[in-house]
Amino acid sequence: MALFELTLVLLLIAVALTALSRRLEVPYPSLLALAGAGIAFVPGAPTIEIDPELALALFIAPVLLDAAYDTSLRDLNRYRLPLVALALGAVIFTTAAVAFVGWKLAGLPIAAAIALGAIVAPPDAVAASAVLGQFKVPHRITAILQGESLLNDATALLIYRLAVSATLGSIMLSNAIPTILLSTIGSLVAGYLLGRFSLLTLTRIEDAASSTVVQFAGTFGVWILADRLGLSAIITIVVYAMTIARTAPRLMSARRRVSTYSVWESAVFVLNVLAFVLMGLQARSIVGRLAGEGQAEAFVFAATVLAVVIVSRLVWVMSYGVIIRWLARFGSEGQGRDAPTLRGGVLVGWCGMRGLVTLVAAFALPADFPGRDPIVLAAFAVVLGTLVLQGMTLKPLLRLLNLDPDTTVDREVAQARVAIMQAALDILSGKTSNAAAAVREQYTAQRTIAENPEDAQAATEYDRLRLYAIKRQRDALEELRRDGTIGDEAYHRLEEEIDWSELAASPAGRFQPLTT
């Protein structure tokens, strides 16, 4: 009961911290990390033990699916070279550097040291996106960071699984290559087939709440099935999510889609909060067990791992940039334009904040794992240190770098908006009724606005008047319920219809209704 009450309080605190992060223009995970660290000093905080396998499935599976669902296949293909360099090369390089430190400085077994390296290797794009989304940074950088965050999780957690198994004696590192190949190929096939099967199920469910429950159950089911079959649950979930993402939106009604997206956004937020809470409680018990000289050595080791993680990413990213720019000098003009810039490399290198994956992977280590306490403490220090040190300094760094504004997505949205409005007009061209004429007039006005996105007056004239009318509709609906003309069931049904009209009237969330 104490844990439940503490969780409720911390969820409310997390909401307040999120609002504060928007005001300060810092990543909300940075403030969550500080709150999680503060739990270690709360007197009487409960001690929590959770099954390692449950921790991975509960926290990683939904977050991975949410990230993979939003990933652009076009951007993955367009930026495949830097993505491979980061999601594969940087993860392996960081894992090796940290493993060497763990082996030499802390005396960890080599497999356990590799597990530590894999735990702290994958950056989390959530923190970076929280800040980068407030600035018009080049789309290339945002796309690379988001794609890296998805793919590097698969790389790091695959290495993590193998290293943990080798430490516990269930597999030899010398025999790992065939295991990796079989696991990767099998996971790709299983993820695709399970995704196709899931699409068949989703088309038969119309209720929004039931559909959302089935999606969560399917996510956990895919993870558990892949794990039981000896496949990579991470790769399977990523492929599964990307498979359904290409088709599911067309098979879902607007109501189901809006409801589902809201639930998933909230669920990912709650999982982030709970992960920091649980890790804070773990750190508290670990600090208590590491008494005397062992405690000081553990903190020195954690600080060293933090420094190695930050430096190794900067070294890898900057070295990669130098090599690509050098090669671009001998290539075509187009290759030269696509080469990473020095300022872009600095930003990508500094966006190495660790987050949920690192926390949960450390938390999921078996209780009898060699060096578990210093490993978990180091992982917590890396998450806290990178989120605070790098996350809190991203905004001033962006101002210092003064990157050229990027309007790539805005241009694509404007172009697509014109196309879909014209498609609607084309299909209505043969209709001659008065209703068709009224609908054509609406779409013509929307197309005009889409063709002239800079014309704020045109947008105001059309959309703000619609929102003005909708506001009066809401007032009338409230009056009908207040005077007892309609009951709550009729009220909520009409409220939903007005909500959809308001969403249609402000597709980009740019306009506010006029006041009387």
Side-chain angles (χ1 to χ4, degrees):
M1 190 65 179
L3 174 61
F4 179 70
E5 294 169 353
L6 177 62
T7 302
L8 289 178
V9 171
L10 288 169
L11 285 175
L12 293 176
I13 292 175
V15 172
L17 291 176
T18 303
L20 179 61
S21 71
R22 294 194 188 100
R23 280 182 167 273
L24 300 178
E25 295 184 328
V26 298
Y28 83 84
S30 298
L31 298 184
L32 284 181
L34 289 173
I39 296 174
F41 303 98
V42 175
T47 301
I48 302 173
E49 296 294 337
I50 186 170
D51 181 76
E53 296 300 324
L54 174 61
L56 283 172
L58 177 62
F59 293 108
I60 299 298
V63 174
L64 268 183
L65 183 132
D66 183 64
Y69 192 91
D70 295 332
T71 297
S72 169
L73 289 175
R74 183 199 66 175
D75 289 341
L76 290 180
N77 181 61
R78 176 178 296 175
Y79 305 119
R80 56 187 178 275
L81 182 58
L83 283 174
V84 170
L86 288 170
L88 189 62
V91 167
I92 294 175
F93 180 73
T94 302
T95 300
V98 173
F100 180 79
V101 171
W103 178 48
K104 286 292 187 182
L105 187 61
L108 296 174
I110 186 63
I114 293 174
L116 168 61
I119 287 171
V120 300
D124 183 3
V126 173
S129 299
V131 172
L132 297 181
Q134 301 168 4
F135 298 86
K136 292 289 185 180
V137 300
H139 175 68
R140 169 192 172 93
I141 293 178
T142 304
I144 288 174
L145 288 172
Q146 292 175 341
E148 177 204 4
S149 175
L150 175 67
L151 301 177
N152 65 15
D153 291 343
T155 303
L157 291 178
L158 183 59
I159 297 173
Y160 166 83
R161 285 277 194 178
L162 293 171
V164 170
S165 298
T167 303
L168 300 178
S170 56
I171 190 175
M172 298 294 292
L173 286 178
S174 57
N175 300 326
I177 293 180
T179 302
I180 292 175
L181 291 176
L182 290 174
S183 175
T184 301
I185 296 173
S187 300
L188 292 172
V189 174
Y192 176 77
L193 294 178
L194 291 170
R196 300 304 301 180
F197 176 77
S198 177
L199 289 172
L200 296 176
T201 304
L202 289 174
T203 58
R204 301 177 183 274
I205 303 176
E206 292 299 329
D207 179 64
S210 299
S211 176
T212 304
V213 170
V214 169
Q215 289 173 41
F216 275 97
T219 301
F220 293 121
V222 168
W223 180 282
I224 293 170
L225 179 61
D227 191 57
R228 294 286 174 83
L229 294 176
L231 303 175
S232 169
I234 301 96
I235 297 176
T236 305
I237 279 288
V238 168
V239 176
Y240 168 79
M242 297 180 75
T243 300
I244 62 176
R246 306 299 295 179
T247 308
R250 289 293 302 273
L251 303 178
M252 298 172 64
S253 65
R255 184 172 182 272
R256 286 170 58 198
R257 191 161 51 250
V258 171
S259 173
T260 298
Y261 290 174
S262 298
V263 171
W264 274 95
E265 183 179 2
S266 300
V268 170
F269 175 75
V270 170
L271 289 173
N272 271 282
V273 173
L274 292 179
F276 282 109
V277 170
L278 292 174
M279 185 54 66
L281 295 175
Q282 286 281 297
R284 179 174 180 268
S285 60
I286 288 170
V287 171
R289 287 196 297 266
L290 295 172
E293 295 182 0
Q295 188 179 84
E297 292 175 357
F299 278 110
V300 170
F301 174 63
T304 304
V305 171
L306 171 61
V308 170
V309 165
I310 294 175
V311 172
S312 61
R313 178 175 176 86
L314 286 170
V315 168
W316 179 269
V317 172
M318 300 308 293
S319 299
Y320 165 81
V322 169
I323 294 172
I324 296 299
R325 285 194 296 273
W326 181 78
L327 292 175
R329 294 169 55 189
F330 304 99
S332 64
E333 182 180 350
Q335 289 176 323
R337 286 197 302 267
D338 292 337
T341 63
L342 177 61
R343 289 181 297 172
V346 171
L347 179 58
V348 171
W350 196 246
C351 287
M353 290 78 73
R354 271 56 175 179
L356 186 60
V357 173
T358 294
L359 287 175
V360 175
F363 186 69
L365 288 174
D368 58 346
F369 194 81
R372 185 184 190 276
D373 284 353
I375 288 176
V376 174
L377 185 63
F380 189 69
V382 168
V383 172
L384 181 63
T386 55
L387 283 175
V388 173
L389 178 61
Q390 295 179 310
M392 296 289 194
T393 56
L394 260 183
K395 181 182 174 182
L397 177 63
L398 283 167
R399 288 175 173 168
L400 180 63
L401 293 175
N402 193 27
L403 295 168
D404 296 330
D406 190 294
T407 58
T408 300
V409 176
D410 293 337
R411 290 197 307 269
E412 291 180 355
V413 169
Q415 181 181 3
R417 185 174 289 134
V418 173
I420 62 177
M421 296 304 170
Q422 186 60 50
L425 288 170
D426 291 343
I427 200 66
L428 293 170
S429 60
K431 306 295 182 180
T432 58
S433 66
N434 292 335
V439 174
R440 275 198 301 271
E441 184 178 351
Q442 292 180 7
Y443 278 112
T444 300
Q446 291 178 345
R447 187 190 62 181
T448 302
I449 295 171
E451 290 174 338
N452 303 278
E454 295 84 9
D455 189 353
Q457 185 60 39
T460 301
E461 184 67 23
Y462 182 74
D463 291 279
R464 290 186 65 191
L465 281 175
R466 292 175 68 192
L467 291 172
Y468 180 52
I470 288 171
K471 182 179 183 299
R472 182 66 190 98
Q473 285 183 299
R474 290 193 185 281
D475 293 340
L477 184 62
E478 289 292 340
E479 292 173 7
L480 290 171
R481 184 172 69 163
R482 191 182 303 116
D483 63 21
T485 303
I486 62 173
D488 278 13
E489 184 176 351
Y491 172 85
H492 289 303
R493 187 176 299 180
L494 290 169
E495 181 186 44
E496 182 181 355
E497 292 179 7
I498 295 175
D499 286 343
W500 284 110
S501 298
E502 184 171 342
L503 288 173
S506 53
R510 298 172 300 176
F511 310 112
Q512 299 297 326
L514 292 170
T515 56
T516 55

